[in-house]
Every structure is written in structure tokens, then in C-alpha cells.
Amino acid sequence: KLNIFLNTSQKGTIKVENVTDDIYNNSNIVLNISKKKVKLSPKFENGHPIYNIEISLTGLVDEVDEESPNRKFLRRNKDFITPALVKKTIETVKRDAKEIIDFCITNNVDLIQVYKYFYKLKHEEFMKYYNLTKEKYLSGITYNISVKVSSSY
């Protein structure tokens, strides 16, 4: 899950569960991610720190696990990334990202480079904030997570 935040890992897989639409019937789907871009941007609004996390994923459906797949559709179409699958993928990635952030806050460990980016890009404002919060700086930050999913087909 930590790879979600790292630009060094460009490829991987994401398992998306319970996708249902005209094509998928409560399917568990594995997406093969061929490209990932992560943009981490710190900012301050009225003295409050905000950490924006933008994740862009490009990939294809690798596996579909369901009892009665629509094989006719799957044979005719090469791009199986439906709006329902995109929505579920975004929910899955956001949930995983939130779990990592919660872990960092609970254990007071900065695995997602919050300090580094605030220190580097918003040094003066961040040092004022950090001097007030010290080791608990992670818990006072608002984390905004946005996810985009597209097909590599």
C-alpha cells in the first residue's frame, strides 16, 4: 500500500472488489498498473497546513474473478475499464492511502515525506507550525487525496 505514494514504483497491481455494472457482476478485478504519477504538494491556508496528494494511474484489467462473467463482451472489447470500475478503484486507492496516513499519525512516523515537502517548499510557515506541534505535526495537517484512473489501451 505504501507504493501508492512513491513515484519510484511505476508499475504494480491493484485489487478492486465487488464491481457491479452492465459488464461486471460483483466481480473482483485486478488492474495491472503500467504508469503511476504522484504529486505531493504542501500549502498553508490561514496558517493551517494542507497536504495535497494527487495520484494518477494508467492500466488495464488483468484478471476478472466472478461466477458468470459476460464473456461475449470481454471477447469483443479490449478496454474493460468501465465507469463503475474507475469509481471502485478510486475508492480503493483513497481507502488505502487513508489507512497509511492514519498509521503514520497513530505511530508518529512520517512514511509519506510530509516533513520533507513542507520543509523544502513552505519552509518558513512550516517551521512556525512545527515549533508549535513538534513531534505531533502529522496529526494537525489536512490531507486531501485525489485519484485519477485511465486505461492504457
Side-chain angles (χ1 to χ4, degrees):
K1 291 182 183 181
L2 184 58
N3 282 345
I4 291 170
F5 291 98
L6 304 176
N7 265 323
T8 53
S9 62
Q10 289 290 311
K11 297 180 181 186
T13 58
I14 295 175
K15 183 176 181 181
V16 184
E17 298 178 336
N18 307 322
V19 179
T20 300
D21 59 13
D22 293 341
I23 290 114
Y24 300 112
N25 180 22
N26 198 30
S27 302
N28 295 324
I29 299 170
V30 175
L31 287 176
N32 186 351
I33 303 301
S34 57
K35 183 179 176 186
K36 180 183 69 171
K37 183 178 178 184
V38 180
K39 182 179 177 187
L40 305 171
S41 356
K43 70 178 189 174
F44 279 85
E45 286 183 5
N46 300 321
H48 181 78
I50 299 169
Y51 199 52
N52 293 313
I53 303 160
E54 298 175 30
I55 303 168
S56 298
L57 304 170
T58 305
L60 291 172
V61 172
D62 195 32
E63 295 177 29
V64 178
D65 180 19
E66 71 179 43
E67 289 183 23
S68 57
N70 187 341
R71 302 243 183 252
K72 189 175 180 181
F73 175 84
L74 294 176
R75 278 197 303 266
R76 278 202 231 135
N77 295 285
K78 295 180 181 175
D79 183 8
F80 313 127
I81 297 184
T82 65
L85 177 55
V86 168
K87 182 180 179 201
K88 280 285 196 174
T89 303
I90 290 170
E91 290 171 6
T92 299
V93 172
K94 283 185 174 184
R95 183 196 67 226
D96 289 352
K98 181 153 177 25
E99 286 177 10
I100 293 167
I101 291 167
D102 290 345
F103 176 86
C104 290
I105 291 169
T106 301
N107 294 287
N108 201 31
V109 58
D110 188 356
L111 299 174
I112 56 175
Q113 303 177 329
V114 174
Y115 185 96
K116 173 186 171 182
Y117 281 93
F118 270 102
Y119 186 86
K120 181 179 173 183
L121 301 173
K122 300 292 180 185
H123 182 78
E124 189 175 322
E125 288 175 287
F126 181 66
M127 291 317 296
K128 286 179 190 176
Y129 168 77
Y130 184 79
N131 287 331
L132 293 172
T133 59
K134 299 290 183 198
E135 293 83 24
K136 300 291 183 186
Y137 70 95
L138 291 170
S139 62
I141 296 171
T142 298
Y143 300 88
N144 295 325
I145 304 164
S146 67
V147 180
K148 294 179 184 173
V149 178
S150 60
S151 172
S152 59
Y153 177 73

